[in-house]
Amino acid sequence: MAEVRLTGITKTFGATVALDEAHSVPRQVVVHHEVGVLLDRDEAKIHYVKNFITPEECQAIEAAAAPSLHKATVADGQGGSELVKSRKAMQAGISVPWDKEGDGNPIAAVSRRIYDYVNDATGYNLEEAGQEDIMSIQYEGRGLDDDEPDRYRPHCDGQCDGLLFKPSGRVATMVMYCEAPSVGGATNFRNVGIHVKPEAGTAVFFSYLGSDFITDNRLTEHSCCPVLEGNKKIAVQWLRMGVDEENPWSSFNTLGVKYSETLDQ
């Protein structure tokens, strides 16, 4: 199993718009990140990005999520979702306040950074309209002797069958680590031998759609290893292709079928 080793690549990915304090006008700030390119295929990429999310941004996400936290679910394979015994994490979706981006809102700031990075890495040219909320997910370690520790078993975030992409589906994921457990909680991509140990402030990006619109064939299937001691807090952005204001992500079930179409059947 391969542990993460950074390639030494310094990657520049787009620009962040901020306000010039002296003149109150937009200015561009180019952000550099050290990126470990762990897998680089047309249909599947995995990157490990250092210093991607700040403590302030993590705190803002967790504060916004706190009133709505509920038990995490998984897709049930029939278009819905379900609770499973092995997953004890709490989660809550957070709507991005894009209207406050110009004011320096920390959630909008990290969200813009996500889109800049993903589009630079993939060329997908994804836009924020119709996309999923940021998901705050919190795992709790209950000790080394826990017989059923908090975990998330192997799964794909989107279509990963090596077939033609179904529009509106997920095509990329950004997992941002806000708090790392002392034992356990790694992100494991078992089919490519990549094992990422979480570190606060870092992120793992992965995409699963090729330029020919053929999806990854399980290379980015991944799991959250058991969280044994300490807490694991992450913020996740799943990104879709083929959604917009008129056809938002919430109008599709977990199989990618519009709810309106299922009612007609």
Side-chain angles (χ1 to χ4, degrees), residues 22-234:
H23 303 95
S24 296
V25 294
R27 61 185 173 85
Q28 287 191 327
V29 180
V30 179
V31 182
H32 298 263
H33 289 275
E34 188 179 10
V35 177
V37 179
L38 309 178
L39 182 69
D40 189 19
R41 297 179 55 152
D42 181 58
E43 79 281 18
K45 304 180 189 299
I46 304 174
H47 296 176
Y48 183 74
V49 190
K50 298 282 284 185
N51 301 316
F52 188 84
I53 188 168
T54 69
E56 178 191 19
E57 291 161 349
C58 283
Q59 290 166 10
I61 289 171
E62 290 168 18
S68 305
L69 285 172
H70 58 276
K71 289 291 295 291
T73 59
V74 301
D76 64 6
Q78 299 182 27
S81 58
E82 62 182 356
L83 295 169
V84 294
K85 187 176 182 180
S86 63
R87 195 158 193 228
K88 302 176 176 65
M90 303 294 286
Q91 68 179 30
I94 304 157
S95 179
V96 179
W98 290 112
D99 58 325
K100 297 181 180 179
E101 183 178 10
D103 298 328
N105 179 275
I107 297 176
V110 71
S111 296
R112 179 60 61 202
R113 193 176 310 128
I114 292 168
Y115 285 91
D116 286 347
Y117 189 94
V118 172
N119 286 328
D120 181 80
T122 64
Y124 289 162
N125 295 318
L126 303 175
E127 297 184 356
E128 62 269 20
Q131 296 284 352
E132 296 188 51
D133 297 340
I134 288 182
M135 186 67 73
S136 176
I137 306 175
Q138 303 178 13
Y139 299 84
E140 180 183 356
R142 298 173 177 82
L144 298 176
D145 57 351
D146 188 354
D147 292 333
E148 296 182 352
D150 202 354
R151 65 192 302 172
Y152 196 176
R153 296 188 182 278
H155 64 283
C156 293
D157 284 351
Q159 186 183 343
C160 63
D161 52 13
L163 301 177
L164 187 65
F165 173 66
K166 300 173 183 177
S168 81
R170 293 173 178 171
V171 294
T173 300
M174 185 71 81
V175 178
M176 298 165 284
Y177 302 110
C178 288
E179 184 176 337
S182 54
V183 181
T187 304
N188 182 38
F189 298 85
R190 64 179 183 177
N191 294 330
V192 288
I194 293 172
H195 190 77
V196 181
K197 184 177 180 180
E199 179 183 344
T202 63
V204 171
F205 151 80
F206 46 103
S207 60
Y208 25 97
L209 179 66
S211 57
D212 56 1
F213 293 97
I214 299 298
T215 63
D216 159 37
N217 193 5
R218 309 204 77 83
L219 296 177
T220 58
E221 179 184 84
H222 59 285
S223 61
C224 169
C225 295
V227 177
L228 300 176
E229 291 188 344
N231 297 321
K232 177 182 179 180
K233 296 182 179 180
I234 59 176

